[in-house]
Amino acid sequence: MTEPAAPPLLRVVKGEPTAEELAALTVVVAGLSQRRPHRRPTPVGGWSSRADLVRTPLQPGPGGWRAAGRFA
């Protein structure tokens, strides 16, 4: 038994492109279809985090010393 033929990668619907134009288009499509590994965001350490700069101002009162610490 023979295997069925694979469908063509590209199909010209309109116009008559030259061999060079088809080759250039094939290279572009093949390059875009390659899977690239996703880069994960670099984790930010606790001491270099800017989150403390945007927190609410500290309030004096009972338990205020606890709220003055990092990540309170």
Side-chain angles (χ1 to χ4, degrees):
M1 275 184 132
T2 61
E3 294 183 21
L9 178 64
L10 300 172
R11 184 176 61 146
V12 178
V13 177
K14 188 175 183 182
E16 296 180 16
T18 64
E20 291 83 15
E21 291 172 336
L22 283 175
L25 181 62
T26 304
V27 168
V28 170
V29 170
L32 291 175
S33 67
Q34 289 181 354
R35 293 187 180 258
R36 289 178 238 144
H38 294 288
R39 285 195 261 168
R40 293 184 179 175
T42 305
V44 177
W47 290 105
S48 62
S49 174
R50 302 278 182 192
D52 288 343
L53 299 176
V54 295
R55 71 178 187 180
T56 59
L58 300 176
Q59 299 294 326
W65 64 273
R66 244 184 230 123
R70 290 185 61 80
F71 311 113

